[in-house]
């Protein structure tokens, strides 16, 4: 099985400042990695995903994440945040093998952008 | 439809009653998942359907929980004899079933057990 750790439960940041939301995973097999965002009173929306190839992946709304296999990390970054980025962000992992179908989620990081 | 839909959006029930939650996945998606989102516990996998294969029920917390998927499309999650600890948001997701394919989530059903 896999597991995900999001060390920061809350991250406050000023508008137009950069942000990094940390994600570390544990798995005995190769993985696919995902970041989802949940805006207030809305469902989960896919931000970006790492399947293979380039370790730097770009997603929607100016977010990007870098897969680091040696550090088992998949941190999410944005160079300049906006008020509208205030939301909860979930990192998720999924094993590559057959039968490895469900996602394992971290407990989420609540990003609050301060005007 | 254009996205995953779930009904009802909110459900309040009394302890001991049975509830049924419905999910309509994206048309053509062969994989369907149920997750539960509880305060302080994050998102928890419950059950997975893929085509006509036997479902993966490994995440169901007790035998009071069951789910079915009819005709490879609509799914119903049933909770029997509800308990207060069942209160959570129940999320349905579907995917095309391809390796690494992302989940597309519905808006969820908020279940409150009094």
């Amino acid at each position: 099985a896999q597991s995900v750790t999001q060390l920061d439960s809350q991250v406050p940041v000023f508008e137009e400042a950069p942000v990094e939301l940390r994600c570390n995973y544990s798995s005995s097999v190769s993985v696919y990695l995902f970041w989802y965002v949940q805006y207030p009173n809305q469902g989960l929306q896919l931000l970006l995903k790492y399947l293979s190839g380039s370790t730097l992946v770009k997603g929607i709304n100016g977010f990007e994440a870098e897969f680091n296999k040696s550090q088992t990390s998949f941190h999410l970054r944005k160079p300049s945040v906006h008020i509208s980025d205030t939301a909860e962000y979930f990192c998720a992992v999924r094993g590559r093998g057959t039968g490895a179908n469900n996602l394992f989620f971290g407990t989420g990081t609540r990003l609050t952008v301060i005007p | 439809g254009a996205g995953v839909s779930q009904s009802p959006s909110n459900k309040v029930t009394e302890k001991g009653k049975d509830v049924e939650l419905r999910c309509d996945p994206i048309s053509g998606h062969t994989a369907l998942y149920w997750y539960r989102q509880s305060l302080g516990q994050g998102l928890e996998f419950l059950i997975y359907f893929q085509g006509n294969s036997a479902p993966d029920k490994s995440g169901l917390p007790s035998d009071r929980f069951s789910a079915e998927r009819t005709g490879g499309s609509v799914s119903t999650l049933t909770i029997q004899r509800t308990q207060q600890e069942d209160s959570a948001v129940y999320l349905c997701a579907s995917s095309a079933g391809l390796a690494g394919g992302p989940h597309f989530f519905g808006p969820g059903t908020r279940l409150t057990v009094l």
Side-chain angles (χ1 to χ4, degrees), chain A residues 85-105:
Chain A
D85 293 324
T86 293
E88 186 126 21
Y89 292 79
F90 293 92
C91 182
V93 65
R94 178 178 173 182
R96 288 178 179 262
T98 57
N101 299 299
N102 58 288
L103 292 171
F104 292 88
F105 285 86

Side-chain angles (χ1 to χ4, degrees), chain A residues 32 34 36 38 41-46 49 51 88 90 94 96 99 101-107, chain B residues 33 35 37 40-43 45 48 56 58 91 95 97-107:
Chain A
Y32 303 117
F34 306 84
Y36 284 83
Q38 188 172 33
N41 300 314
Q42 294 187 29
L44 285 161
Q45 179 180 353
L46 180 68
K49 59 184 179 182
L51 303 184
E88 186 126 21
F90 293 92
R94 178 178 173 182
R96 288 178 179 262
N101 299 299
N102 58 288
L103 292 171
F104 292 88
F105 285 86
T107 50
Chain B
Y33 308 78
Y35 291 85
Q37 187 175 23
Q41 294 195 22
L43 281 135
F45 166 71
Y48 159 72
D56 176 354
S58 60
L91 295 168
S95 79
L98 300 174
H103 291 25
F104 294 85
F105 282 85

